[in-house]
Each structure stands twice: as C-alpha cells, then as structure tokens.
Amino acid sequence: MRWDDLVARIRAGHRLEAEEALAVLACPEEETLDLVAAASRLRRDAFGMRVKLNYLVSLKTGLCPEDCGYCSQALGSAAPILKYSWLDPAEAVRQARAGIDGGAARVCLVASGRGPMDRDVDRVAGIASALKQEHPGVEVCACLGLLKDGQAEALRSAGVDAYNHNVNTAASHHEQIVRTHTYADRLATLEKVAQAGVSPCSGLIIGMGESDAQIVEALFALRDLEVESLPINFLIPFDGTPMQGRWDLTPLQCLRVVALARLIHPRTEIRLAGGRELHLRGLQGLALHLANSIFLGDYLTSEGQAASADLDMIRDAGFTIERPTGEQPGACGEAGSASPSAAAPSPRRRGAGTDVEANA
C-alpha cells in the first residue's frame, strides 16, 4: 500500500476501513518509517509541532475489588506496589502543582476502585475546584471508575473538563481480561460523561494477547464513541499479576499501532501513556510525530523515565511544549533551547589503557 496516497485520501475526508487498518498493522518493518512519515502529516495538520504534557495524581491506590488481569491494583494482585487510601485534598493539590510547575497542561485525578460513592465525587470535586482557582487554564481530568447517575454532572459543576474511562480492549476480547464488569458497563459510563458535557477520554492497552483484528475493532469503537482524547497504554507486566512476564510487543509494532490510531483518529488528541518507555524504548521521540501528548513523569503504580528526560526528548525532536491558557513558562523551559539537564562530557576511565573492564 502507498502510505502517502492513503494519507492524502484521509486528508480529503476518507474514513479508514477495516482492510486498510489491518494492512497498516501488517506494514513490513522496513516500511514502518515511511508509514510514520506519511501519518505524521495528519498530526501536524491538527496539532502542528505542539506536545501537551499531562500529569497523573493517584488519589487512592491499590485495594481494588475488580479482577482486571492487567492491573497491579486489582483483586488478587500480589504486585509490590504502594497502597493507600484517599490523599488529603491539600496534599493532592500540592502533588498536582508539581506537575503544573513542570509544564503540564492537564492534570489527571485518578482513584482506584469500581466506582465512586457520592462523597468520593464531592472530595474530587473539591480538589478540582481548588486547582481551577489556582490555575484556571489547566485542564482537569478525573478517572474514578464506573459512574452513577448525576455524578458526571457534579464533576462538571466543579470544573472537571474531561473524564477518562478506557475501553482498554475490543469488546470481543474484554472477557479475557476482566469478569467483574462488562464492556457495556464501560460504555454506559462514557455515555453519562458525554451527556453531562464532559469531554470523553478513552483509550486502550496494547499487549494483552489481543489480535490485530481486535486492535482495529477497539480503535474503530473509539471512533464511533467520538472520544476527544485517546491514551495508548502498553502493557506493564507486573510480577504478581496474571499477565506477569508477558512481553509480546516490539518497538516497531508499537509504532505501527500509534500510526494506525492517528490514521483512524486524524484530529483526536492521542497520548502516549503507561509502558511507553518499556516498549517504544528509543522510538519514543519518533512516536511523537504521531501522538501529540504524553504523560510527564510517573504513572499510577509504576515509575516513568525522569521528567527531565521527557522534556529533553521533546526538545531534541524539535517540538514545542503546549502551555496552559494564561500560564507562564516554568521549569520546563522552551523547546529548541539548550537542555538544562545536559551534563558535561565524562573522560573515559575504563577499557583500553586502564585496569577497569570496558563498557561493552
């Protein structure tokens, strides 16, 4: 397939079809960079060379009653993670402030569990309201699980801009990864969010044994849902979970999935999320020519690469950090400027001419 021709058709209004989508995932490795170069035009059409930074605050971690097989917080998980109940609201705001000072334009307030009680929604609403008072230009996204009637409206009233609830995988694969709730349950929450006028954010996790056809199925479902923000996670196979030791992905395969997401969702915010460091590895910067958004720093239960390394990666690839409305540049500096984390060169003290083993 000629990728430039396909992208030209998409730019003219064509919606990718299933056969074309499967061809993208089957793209030969030696053609993957050609695919990226073509699909990157869609990214630039919608977002230029801007990258949005997002920052996670885990308000409540672990001890979840759901049995999601991919999750280190799930029922039965023996993963060695932090576990704590609700953060004090002032501490939650302080944690969010650290991400905003680092350049984040969106703060994601996340709590483990099946879904919130009304008092939990009130707690999150208070945190969101405090953040909006301090930083009115920063987007606030909540991720609290399955919502009941009226809860999305309460969050919106407090200033919550978006609600994340990932479909995670295709409907045809859902029962292979979780049994304590259904795919329909997830769709019902996304419907509540959209009806309340809150921006729907939903994505998927790659690497859980799904087929190429199921990746296509999930991405088409997200297109039908008209999500405005689409995070792509790559499985983090924690020891102590049913998916421990599962390393099915290659960096080029991950890159093709991100390219496919851009081709199916040409104007949607696509975010590189959990596991990108583990699976994209040295291709993360290249993936930013497809995705326009990343999480800064750490995730819910796993550590990400250093925030300074993220910022260096963005600068080195020639991108500009997207600023929240009305916010002034902070510690993250400007893309294209000299890296504040650059270190002086280190003289060699090992290998030939020394008594120290070589770096090999």
Side-chain angles (χ1 to χ4, degrees):
M1 182 177 292
R2 292 180 59 87
W3 307 120
D4 287 338
D5 292 346
L6 179 61
V7 167
R9 291 168 57 212
I10 292 171
R11 293 172 96 181
H14 174 67
R15 283 164 60 93
L16 207 69
E17 298 174 355
E19 185 177 348
E20 295 167 324
L22 288 169
V24 170
L25 295 180
C27 171
E29 294 200 344
E30 63 271 19
E31 292 183 20
T32 299
L33 293 185
D34 296 332
L35 169 64
V36 172
S40 69
R41 296 189 185 100
L42 298 172
R43 184 247 197 264
R44 292 196 298 276
D45 285 348
F47 301 100
M49 293 294 284
R50 304 187 308 277
V51 173
K52 179 185 283 187
L53 300 179
N54 308 264
Y55 191 73
L56 282 171
V57 178
S58 186
L59 302 176
K60 174 175 170 284
T61 297
L63 308 173
C64 182
E66 302 298 288
D67 68 352
C68 308
Y70 55 84
C71 184
S72 59
Q73 305 185 70
L75 179 70
S77 169
I81 63 168
L82 286 170
K83 297 177 183 179
Y84 53 86
S85 190
W86 289 92
L87 288 182
D88 178 80
E91 174 62 12
V93 171
R94 190 181 75 82
Q95 292 291 331
R97 195 180 296 128
I100 295 169
D101 289 345
R106 174 178 283 197
V107 171
C108 302
L109 304 174
V110 187
S112 63
R114 179 178 175 86
M117 303 293 287
D118 286 345
R119 65 175 179 271
D120 300 326
V121 170
D122 292 342
R123 185 196 315 259
V124 175
I127 296 168
S129 179
L131 280 173
K132 282 291 190 177
Q133 287 180 357
E134 284 190 17
H135 301 278
V138 170
E139 297 174 1
V140 176
C141 178
C143 178
L144 312 174
L146 302 172
L147 293 179
K148 302 179 184 67
D149 290 346
Q151 291 182 329
E153 288 81 0
L155 291 169
R156 182 190 179 196
S157 296
V160 170
D161 301 285
Y163 193 86
N164 169 257
H165 196 61
N166 295 329
V167 298
N168 287 328
T169 193
S172 62
H173 190 58
H174 188 267
E175 286 193 2
Q176 304 304 311
I177 64 170
V178 58
R179 296 295 183 91
T180 48
H181 61 265
T182 66
Y183 189 81
D185 290 333
R186 289 187 171 270
L187 296 187
T189 283
L190 288 169
E191 183 179 356
K192 287 181 173 67
V193 167
Q195 290 178 346
V198 177
S199 177
C201 171
S202 186
L204 64 166
I205 305 171
I206 300 298
M208 301 189 294
E210 68 283 342
S211 66
D212 282 358
Q214 287 168 329
I215 294 174
V216 172
E217 180 188 343
L219 287 170
F220 277 9
L222 291 167
R223 182 173 69 183
D224 292 341
L225 289 166
E226 298 182 340
V227 298
E228 296 177 359
S229 178
L230 196 165
I232 300 177
N233 297 275
F234 308 92
L235 178 67
I236 301 175
F238 267 107
D239 287 347
T241 68
M243 294 192 184
Q244 70 178 37
R246 181 156 219 157
W247 297 94
D248 297 343
L249 303 173
T250 69
L252 285 174
Q253 180 184 5
C254 294
L255 201 59
R256 290 190 288 272
V257 171
V258 181
L260 176 60
R262 178 53 69 201
L263 294 171
I264 296 173
H265 299 264
R267 304 197 68 81
T268 298
E269 180 177 317
I270 295 177
R271 181 176 305 118
L272 300 179
R276 63 177 166 89
E277 301 92 340
L278 296 176
H279 294 286
L280 278 164
R281 300 202 288 275
L283 301 187
Q284 291 181 78
L286 193 57
L288 283 177
H289 288 274
L290 302 164
N292 63 292
S293 181
I294 65 170
F295 281 104
L296 181 72
D298 296 332
Y299 304 102
L300 296 176
T301 63
S302 65
E303 293 186 352
Q305 67 188 22
S308 60
D310 287 335
L311 298 174
D312 287 347
M313 176 179 69
I314 292 167
R315 291 187 191 90
D316 292 347
F319 291 101
T320 300
I321 297 166
E322 184 174 319
R323 302 291 177 196
T325 304
E327 295 282 330
Q328 297 300 313
C332 56
E334 293 289 347
S337 63
S339 170
S341 60
S346 299
R348 179 171 67 84
R349 304 292 186 191
R350 58 194 173 196
T354 75
D355 296 327
V356 181
E357 291 295 323
N359 179 29

